[in-house]
Amino acid sequence: MDSTVTKRWLLARLYEPEQTIVDCRFTLGKPQEGKERYNKEHIPGAVYLDLELDLSAPVGGHGGRHPLPDTQVLASRLSKLGIGNDTRIVAYDDENGMNAARLWWLLRYLGHEQVYILEGGFSQWKEGKYPVTDHQPVRVPSSFVANVRPQMLAGVEEVREVSAKTVNNAGAETGSDVNVADAVPTLPVLIDSRAKDRYQGMNETLDKKAGHIPGALNYFWKNTQNADGSFKSADELAAHFAGLDKEAEIIVYCGSGVTACPNVLALEKAGYKNVRLYAGSWSDWISYEDNPVATGDE
């Protein structure tokens, strides 16, 4: 089954007891807004998970702006919401899927495969005249046991090594969203998921340094989606990522590890099997003063 579901698919299964719907709406810079919107109206039966309080750990010296949450703390939170290891989870947001994709990635990192993202998010659900409510469900606690998959992560030390290898072995000029068929096939690939101007170091409003990790290619995460917020088809995504060797190791990052998650999903949908997340991403990278910074196009 695909990692996304349609509104019609969810409507047909809206009240199935083995399913939990999770509202992940969140607005950067306005941390209360997502929960307020949930309290006002949400998909019937949905519970709420906060990007910064539930799906991230407190910010420290390293780890980026949205460090990964402690796995046992998250497992306990899921258990209290009635989510167990056999629960099917459907996540949604109103931010083009970026927060829902964070939950999608985290759950798979915890060993849970039955997790999906609602295409189009809450606004399209409501605009389609599908049911909404302000009633908050009473949840019977369950037991979620984490089976962590560390192989899904790449740490800063490994990213340093991949960056250095990429720069040292660069034999062909590559750039943003271009065909990289001439790159060394076995060379690991770093993908920067941010908008082009941030990747180039031209417009940085969130982090203290501008630019990108040397050697990284720019594939803006929103380019994996259609105008209505749904993800492109597998064939369209394969064309989008054309030139990347499907056997190569791919490490994906963004500003803080959130918008990289839709790119991870898109790469997997396009048939890439060896995709990992640099969770701390750019905001973690620049927390180490000795890490090099590149600007412009690669």
Side-chain angles (χ1 to χ4, degrees):
M1 182 175 174
D2 201 344
S3 293
T4 61
V5 297
T6 65
K7 296 185 290 293
R8 287 182 177 273
W9 185 96
L10 180 58
L11 181 66
R13 297 162 178 82
L14 194 58
Y15 299 104
E16 290 184 347
E18 67 271 20
Q19 174 175 273
T20 297
I21 302 169
V22 182
D23 187 317
C24 299
R25 285 178 287 175
F26 186 88
T27 304
L28 291 175
K30 299 178 180 179
Q32 303 300 321
E33 187 173 280
K35 183 63 181 294
E36 290 170 356
R37 286 188 287 165
Y38 167 79
N39 290 339
K40 181 180 179 181
E41 56 183 2
H42 51 263
I43 295 176
V47 297
Y48 184 77
L49 284 174
D50 186 285
L51 172 64
E52 294 185 344
L53 298 180
D54 300 311
L55 306 184
S56 304
V59 176
H62 300 295
R65 286 183 281 106
H66 292 110
L68 290 185
D70 179 274
T71 56
Q72 294 306 314
V73 171
L74 179 56
S76 176
R77 176 70 173 130
L78 295 170
S79 298
K80 290 178 180 177
L81 290 175
I83 296 173
N85 293 90
D86 295 326
T87 305
R88 182 177 70 236
I89 300 161
V90 178
Y92 70 87
D93 59 32
D94 240 352
E95 292 76 38
N96 293 93
M98 70 178 194
N99 302 319
R102 168 77 163 205
L103 178 60
W104 169 86
W105 187 92
L106 281 170
L107 284 165
R108 292 171 70 251
Y109 177 60
L110 298 185
H112 193 83
E113 290 290 344
Q114 290 193 84
V115 54
Y116 309 96
I117 297 174
L118 176 64
E119 297 275 17
F122 180 76
S123 289
Q124 287 195 29
W125 174 272
K126 185 178 178 181
E127 289 169 4
K129 306 300 181 182
Y130 293 89
V132 299
T133 184
D134 64 356
H135 175 72
Q136 298 189 21
V138 176
R139 302 291 298 176
V140 177
S142 184
S143 177
F144 188 97
V145 179
N147 180 22
V148 179
R149 298 168 172 173
Q151 66 272 21
M152 291 176 59
L153 273 177
V156 65
E157 290 290 345
E158 187 172 4
V159 174
R160 285 191 188 111
E161 294 176 5
V162 171
S163 174
K165 287 179 182 178
T166 303
V167 172
N168 291 337
N169 288 278
E173 185 177 347
T174 57
S176 173
D177 282 356
V178 297
N179 189 303
V180 293
D182 294 331
V184 179
T186 57
L187 197 66
V189 178
L190 280 173
I191 287 182
D192 187 313
S193 305
R194 298 172 299 164
K196 186 174 183 178
D197 57 350
R198 291 186 67 201
Y199 167 83
Q200 292 176 324
M202 301 295 291
N203 180 28
E204 183 56 68
T205 59
L206 295 173
D207 293 305
K208 63 181 181 179
K209 290 184 181 179
H212 61 268
I213 299 174
L217 303 175
N218 181 217
Y219 285 84
F220 184 34
W221 70 279
K222 284 189 178 180
N223 291 340
T224 64
Q225 300 177 352
N226 297 306
D228 64 358
S230 62
F231 279 86
K232 293 179 179 178
S233 69
D235 288 343
E236 290 172 321
L237 290 171
H240 173 66
F241 293 114
L244 296 178
D245 189 341
K246 289 192 174 180
E247 302 303 317
E249 174 188 357
I250 298 175
I251 298 174
V252 187
Y253 76 91
C254 58
S256 67
V258 177
T259 59
C261 294
N263 251 353
V264 173
L265 186 154
L267 281 158
E268 293 188 1
K269 187 172 182 177
Y272 293 83
K273 304 299 183 183
N274 193 6
V275 183
R276 291 189 291 158
L277 175 71
Y278 173 27
S281 289
W282 178 248
S283 52
D284 177 62
W285 180 262
I286 60 174
S287 71
Y288 299 89
E289 290 299 325
D290 293 337
N291 279 347
V293 169
T295 57
D297 288 328
E298 291 285 344

